[in-house]
Amino acid sequence: MRLPHPLFEGDTVYSTSEVIATRESQSRPNVGIVTVRTTGFNQDGMPVITFRRTVMVYRRGQGPSNPRVAS
């Protein structure tokens, strides 16, 4: 995580995310690993935070057969 510019009370924050890597899981054949870089900007377009995160997601057609429906 990097905080290249200060953020102040009342600032508006916008963000963008970009997928920077994907790979298959070595232990679970039905999921993949996705690495994402997110950058947050203040109202003047100055970057105020950047970070990378890794998430595990089901591969296409490999999700639960009976997904829960939010009520």
Side-chain angles (χ1 to χ4, degrees), residues 7-61:
L7 188 63
F8 300 99
E9 182 179 349
D11 282 356
T12 301
V13 179
Y14 302 94
S15 66
T16 62
S17 294
E18 174 186 12
V19 173
I20 57 176
T22 60
R23 67 176 177 86
E24 295 180 7
S25 171
Q26 295 176 353
S27 61
R28 298 180 182 193
N30 63 330
V31 299
I33 310 298
V34 179
T35 303
V36 180
R37 177 179 37 232
T38 299
T39 304
F41 302 91
N42 68 7
Q43 67 277 359
D44 299 322
M46 298 290 294
V48 294
I49 188 169
T50 60
F51 58 93
R52 285 180 18 170
R53 64 189 186 279
T54 303
V55 295
M56 183 180 290
V57 296
Y58 285 109
R59 295 179 65 178
R60 188 172 302 154

